[in-house]
Amino acid sequence: MGAKRNDLVAGDKLVLRPLIGLMDGLKPDEIERFVVEEIEKHRRLRDDAVRLETLLDSETNQSELTESRRAYISAMIAVHAQQTVVSTLLDILGYIPEIPKTKPH
C-alpha cells in the first residue's frame, strides 16, 4: 500500500483522517476501486460547476444572476471537498490508478 498512516497526517496538507481509518485493512485493489469511483465523481462535479459558470456568464437578470452565483459557489464547494477526498485516497493508495475512459455527456 502507499504511505504509512503517520505520513498521511503530517505537514500542512489537508487530509481526511476518517478515510484513513475506513481504508485500513482493505486490499489495494479494493481501495483502488474507491479511488476510481471518487475520481469519476469529482469529474462529474467539476463538469457541473463548469456548466454553472457558463450560465453565470450569460445571466442578465439580477435575481437570476444571484441564484446562479449561489449555485456556482455551492458547486465549487462540492468540487473542492471532493478533491480533498480524492487526494486523501490517492495518498492512501500510493499511486494513481488507470481511470476508464468516460463517454462524453
Side-chain angles (χ1 to χ4, degrees):
M1 197 147 57
K4 294 184 173 107
R5 187 179 186 106
N6 288 338
D7 294 340
L8 293 172
V9 295
D12 294 335
K13 183 176 179 179
L14 180 60
V15 174
L16 297 174
R17 290 176 186 221
L19 293 182
I20 297 168
L22 287 169
M23 297 295 119
D24 191 37
L26 294 180
K27 296 177 184 173
D29 63 319
E30 293 175 292
I31 297 171
E32 184 175 311
R33 274 182 283 193
F34 281 109
V35 172
V36 169
E37 289 171 7
E38 296 306 316
I39 288 172
E40 290 171 342
K41 181 177 181 179
H42 179 266
R43 289 177 177 175
R44 287 189 304 273
L45 290 168
R46 180 208 56 209
D47 291 347
D48 190 40
V50 168
R51 182 186 59 78
L52 289 168
E53 182 180 31
T54 302
L55 291 174
L56 183 64
D57 291 339
S58 65
E59 286 294 348
T60 56
N61 179 299
Q62 186 59 42
S63 69
E64 289 178 9
L65 179 61
T66 300
E67 285 305 309
S68 293
R69 184 175 291 125
R70 289 183 56 74
Y72 170 70
I73 290 170
S74 180
M76 287 305 294
I77 290 169
V79 167
H80 290 293
Q82 185 64 19
Q83 179 58 48
T84 305
V85 169
V86 169
S87 179
T88 301
L89 289 174
L90 286 170
D91 287 346
I92 292 167
L93 184 60
Y95 62 92
I96 299 172
E98 187 172 322
I99 308 298
K101 299 282 186 200
T102 57
K103 295 176 235 153
H105 310 313

